[in-house]
Amino acid sequence: MARFVRRHEPEIMEVNEDHLMRANSFEGRQEAPQKHGGRLWRVVGVSFGLLCILQAALNVSLRLTLYSSDSVTPDIETGCKALTEERDLMERKLNNIDKHTQQGWLYFSHSLYYVSSTKNTWKGSREDCRQRGADLVIINSREEQDFTRQFKKLIWFGLTDSETEGIWKWVDGSTLTTSYWHHGEPNSDQGRNEDCGEIMFFNLTNSWNDESCDSQNFWICEKTAAP
Ligand code: BGC
Ligand code: CA
């Protein structure tokens, strides 16, 4: 038994050493490229990590710069916000103009106008305008004055002196500054109480007349185009 062991021990040893040598030399051959590859991956990994850190640092610094109170960014933000609001307002205004013009209103210089196809007293006309979310037209410019003359009708507009005789006021409570009275008007004709403004002489630039508020006329309502 002991002989068998002794006789076989060197063989076992030989085999093991041989295998170890082969294995070592094999590993040695294989280890070189693996070591280079591993190093490369490590470099790539570390570089990637560094880039991530750099990116994060940049993000943080950008955020701090852009959102800090003493930077110029709030101005940009305020500007953007203002532009967005302006755009939204324009969009709402356009939709509003569209809706009204489809219902027969006319658009002119930031206002919407409704020209009646029936007649009424000055008060009745004003009531109709109010029910339409408007009021009788207030004439603020020569252009608007000419706009009101184009319909070639006797038309009520938003001017009255019913509160105090001779003090003409617009329906929004403001006093009259620029007027387009026809020559000789207002005259409270033949002692009649003519307290309401009408477009009577529409073929003339100065077309206004004071008329009895109970007369029957067409009328023009006005509302701002901005909702
Ligand atoms: C007169 C106006 C008057 C109107 C009454 C016109 O002939 O010129 O002043 O208000 O008649 O309808
Ligand atoms: Ca008159």
Side-chain angles (χ1 to χ4, degrees):
M1 186 65 171
R3 253 174 41 215
F4 174 80
V5 170
R6 267 200 307 273
R7 207 176 61 207
H8 284 86
E9 266 178 356
E11 272 178 30
I12 292 164
M13 285 299 287
E14 263 177 40
V15 168
N16 286 347
E17 274 168 18
D18 188 39
H19 281 181
L20 273 169
M21 276 173 71
R22 278 162 189 258
N24 283 344
S25 68
F26 178 76
E27 274 173 19
R29 278 201 303 274
Q30 294 296 314
E31 251 175 25
Q34 266 183 7
K35 266 183 190 165
H36 284 304
R39 221 173 286 138
L40 188 67
W41 280 114
R42 263 202 299 281
V43 170
V44 170
V46 169
S47 307
F48 184 71
L50 283 172
L51 277 174
C52 285
I53 291 165
L54 190 67
Q55 180 72 59
L58 271 173
N59 286 353
V60 170
S61 63
L62 266 174
R63 261 172 200 280
L64 285 174
T65 313
L66 291 175
Y67 295 101
S68 66
S69 57
D70 56 349
S71 76
V72 294
T73 313
D75 288 343
I76 297 168
E77 261 185 70
T78 311
C80 280
K81 213 175 153 195
L83 278 174
T84 308
E85 277 167 12
E86 203 178 311
R87 185 204 59 196
D88 291 348
L89 190 74
M90 289 270 278
E91 209 172 288
R92 282 204 299 278
K93 187 174 168 180
L94 281 174
N95 288 340
N96 195 40
I97 292 169
D98 209 39
K99 188 181 88 184
H100 280 81
T101 49
Q102 277 173 30
Q103 292 166 7
W105 290 68
L106 301 169
Y107 174 70
F108 173 74
S109 188
H110 307 293
S111 281
L112 287 158
Y113 298 90
Y114 173 83
V115 183
S116 78
S117 52
T118 55
K119 292 182 178 181
N120 209 331
T121 62
W122 188 89
K123 259 192 177 169
S125 302
R126 189 175 185 203
E127 193 47 46
D128 175 81
C129 288
R130 285 181 147 175
Q131 278 171 14
R132 295 173 192 276
D135 210 333
L136 284 171
V137 58
I138 293 174
I139 300 168
N140 304 107
S141 67
R142 159 76 57 191
E143 290 73 26
E144 199 172 19
Q145 160 65 8
D146 289 339
F147 173 82
T148 60
R149 295 193 302 120
Q150 67 174 299
F151 306 104
K152 312 214 179 317
K153 293 176 179 177
L154 292 173
I155 287 171
W156 289 129
F157 66 103
L159 190 67
T160 181
D161 73 338
S162 57
E163 216 174 87
T164 313
E165 182 61 29
I167 308 290
W168 290 89
K169 280 192 175 179
W170 293 109
V171 283
D172 68 355
S174 58
T175 47
L176 179 65
T177 47
T178 308
S179 62
Y180 301 95
W181 292 113
H182 182 250
H183 177 72
E185 306 296 341
N187 64 356
S188 284
D189 193 42
Q190 294 168 17
R192 290 166 73 216
N193 202 19
E194 296 186 321
D195 287 348
C196 291
E198 73 168 358
I199 310 289
M200 186 182 195
F201 306 97
F202 47 73
N203 53 333
L204 297 168
T205 304
N206 290 337
S207 60
W208 298 359
N209 173 46
D210 61 337
E211 180 58 271
S212 163
C213 299
D214 293 329
S215 296
Q216 295 280 315
N217 273 345
F218 295 100
W219 66 94
I220 301 180
C221 306
E222 179 188 12
K223 64 163 88 172
T224 175

